[in-house]
Amino acid sequence: MMGMRTVILFLAVLFLAACDNNEIRYDGKLLNIAVIGESPEVENEKIHFEQLSLEQFKEDPPNVVGKFDAIMVTPDSFEAASDDTYVDSYQTSEMPISFFNSNKRHFPFVRDGFTYETADFDTLDNGSHTTIYLYNFSENKEDAWFFYLDNQKDLNELYTEVFQKVETL
């Protein structure tokens, strides 16, 4: 019987630790983030994720910009999201777009003639994990911020940094 209690206690501690791993420390303003791809498994009462298709993003930019604080594109959508048909959408949205876990930064998405698969990794890799891209249409200028991940234990910190940056933009 004592062995079973130990196993149950161990599983309970493991479950609680796993739950804590998804909680992100962010106490800024409420952020509504559109996600193109798989939604991140993070928990914070001030972060709200909503699925958005690439077609919705392309066809109805005013509604997207008015409803969300940022867009997050995740790895399972990188190849489709890097199609040339979306370049104008990224460059006219005037809202921060996070390319989460893109070691090729934002270039395959915002440049004609590239896809995520065909973009040369060696020339684009700056060691960053995630890039926030923002195009200022009125000034015809683009900005990018890079976020780095040292190891998996720092993933929650990376999320916090990304959300804090989005809040300032």
Side-chain angles (χ1 to χ4, degrees):
M1 243 339 140
M2 190 59 147
M4 182 61 114
R5 279 188 174 161
T6 304
V7 169
I8 290 172
L9 181 60
F10 174 76
L11 290 175
V13 169
L14 186 64
F15 176 75
L16 289 173
C19 290
D20 287 346
N21 285 342
N22 293 339
E23 190 168 330
I24 304 302
R25 283 188 224 124
Y26 169 78
D27 59 359
K29 73 173 191 163
L30 177 66
L31 295 177
N32 291 312
I33 299 176
V35 178
I36 298 173
E38 187 175 331
S39 288
E41 293 182 18
V42 299
E43 295 175 14
N44 185 298
E45 62 188 23
K46 294 194 172 200
I47 306 294
H48 177 264
F49 294 111
E50 187 174 319
Q51 288 297 127
L52 181 74
S53 72
L54 283 165
E55 285 305 312
Q56 289 171 308
F57 175 54
K58 181 181 172 188
E59 299 301 324
D60 196 6
N63 187 44
V64 172
V65 171
K67 187 175 181 181
F68 298 104
D69 299 296
I71 296 174
M72 179 181 283
V73 182
T74 60
D76 61 323
S77 295
F78 284 170
E79 188 60 27
S82 64
D83 188 276
D84 286 351
T85 60
Y86 303 110
V87 170
D88 285 342
S89 299
Y90 299 123
Q91 293 182 344
T92 59
S93 72
E94 294 198 67
M95 68 185 307
I97 302 170
S98 169
F99 297 100
F100 189 80
N101 198 11
S102 170
N103 56 10
K104 297 181 180 183
R105 301 183 278 168
H106 61 288
F107 289 105
F109 307 98
V110 301
R111 301 288 187 270
D112 284 325
F114 291 100
T115 67
Y116 197 77
E117 185 179 312
T118 63
D120 183 17
F121 174 76
D122 292 332
T123 59
L124 296 177
D125 183 19
N126 69 352
S128 65
H129 177 278
T130 296
T131 302
I132 293 180
Y133 171 83
L134 179 62
Y135 191 85
N136 185 324
F137 191 73
S138 61
E139 294 182 21
N140 195 27
K141 174 182 116 175
E142 63 182 14
D143 287 309
W145 296 267
F146 305 106
F147 300 86
Y148 299 87
L149 183 65
D150 297 326
N151 59 48
Q152 286 296 350
K153 291 183 182 178
D154 293 337
L155 187 58
N156 288 353
E157 291 174 41
L158 182 132
Y159 274 117
T160 300
E161 290 174 8
V162 168
F163 297 143
Q164 288 172 339
K165 186 61 182 179
V166 165
E167 181 183 16
T168 67
L169 297 174

